[in-house]
Amino acid sequence: MRFTKPCCLLAAAAIFFGSSSLSEAASFQLGDTGNEVIEIQQALASQGYDVPVDGDYGPATKAAVAEFQRDNHLAVDGELGSSSYQALLHRALPTTSHKSYFAGANGIINLARQYLGVPYVWGGSSPNGFDCSGFVQYVYAQKGIHLPRTADIQATAGRPISKAELMPGDLVFFAGDYVNISHVGIYVGNGQMIHASSTYGIAYDSLSRDYRVTHYAGACRVLN
């Protein structure tokens, strides 16, 4: 996808996507990140499972874990609890806490929701009024994540991901002319995003709406 035009400046809402949040290690699951996830992925890959070694317990890792569980007659849920962890890595599940992507993403989304209804203002980047990229930049900045100002450059600030890989907190981009990035929103799950709409201000919108489908230009992940 091409990222060559500034974002449409729309009213926006804020969300926090903190990669440093921790959750108790009852199991490793979708959304967890870090070096321990890399170890899990390396162990899966060494046994022939198709999994990226990127430290991100995403859908591909969940699918590989589920396949490993089936092959080893374990309960199949795609999560690496104590039995599955022991079978894969031959040691007990660690009792220390580990990074959770979803914990940070939920913080982003909860923050963004606080701005629902804030009006759209062309060039706006404060709670008095937002445009699309101003909203995204403002929300993430509140959580210590500093993004570029315009949507086209924001699209290069993270790791590109496919639509099938979308998780809450990812950034989604649209090209009004089908070529140049002109809009950005924050994915919140269930096919929805929160964004600065020129009509409604900070609001939810569906990625399955015809306009959003035809003008969808890609997504990126800025959380680790």
Side-chain angles (χ1 to χ4, degrees):
M1 57 184 176
R2 293 179 59 188
F3 308 109
T4 54
K5 266 195 181 174
C7 160
C8 56
L9 303 173
L10 304 176
I15 282 184
F16 163 57
F17 191 64
S19 60
S20 61
S21 298
L22 300 175
S23 63
E24 290 306 313
S27 66
F28 286 88
Q29 55 192 292
L30 191 69
D32 287 340
T33 62
N35 291 332
E36 290 171 312
V37 175
I38 290 177
E39 287 189 71
I40 291 166
Q41 293 169 330
Q42 288 173 333
L44 289 165
S46 71
Q47 296 189 36
Y49 295 97
D50 184 14
V51 60
V53 180
D54 58 5
D56 179 359
Y57 201 118
T61 301
K62 181 177 180 179
V65 168
E67 187 177 354
F68 170 82
Q69 291 169 327
R70 281 192 293 271
D71 291 344
N72 289 273
H73 310 291
L74 298 163
V76 178
D77 59 6
E79 297 184 6
L80 212 66
S82 57
S83 297
S84 296
Y85 189 93
Q86 178 73 48
L88 179 63
L89 291 168
H90 309 294
R91 62 175 186 260
L93 183 74
T95 57
T96 56
S97 57
H98 57 273
K99 290 183 180 179
S100 172
Y101 175 99
F102 281 149
N106 286 341
I108 290 261
I109 292 166
N110 289 336
L111 176 57
R113 285 173 177 157
Q114 296 178 21
Y115 298 94
L116 287 168
V118 168
Y120 164 79
V121 173
W122 179 266
S125 58
S126 78
N128 293 323
F130 293 102
D131 65 29
C132 65
S133 59
F135 171 61
V136 168
Q137 183 188 54
Y138 180 87
V139 170
Y140 283 84
Q142 303 314 297
K143 299 301 182 176
I145 299 172
H146 300 287
L147 298 176
R149 178 61 180 88
T150 60
D152 59 325
I153 306 301
Q154 288 175 356
T156 68
R159 177 168 65 87
I161 57 171
S162 69
K163 206 170 192 178
E165 295 176 294
L166 280 173
M167 293 200 300
D170 291 338
L171 300 182
V172 287
F173 300 92
F174 304 88
D177 63 359
Y178 301 98
V179 177
N180 300 303
I181 295 295
S182 59
H183 193 66
V184 59
I186 301 169
Y187 186 67
V188 299
N190 298 318
Q192 300 282 318
M193 70 173 177
I194 189 169
H195 71 136
S197 163
S198 57
T199 302
Y200 302 107
I202 302 307
Y204 292 111
D205 198 356
S206 172
L207 299 191
S208 62
R209 188 162 64 86
D210 287 348
Y211 180 88
R212 294 300 172 204
V213 171
T214 58
H215 293 274
Y216 185 79
C220 76
R221 181 163 299 155
V222 296
L223 292 181
N224 296 316

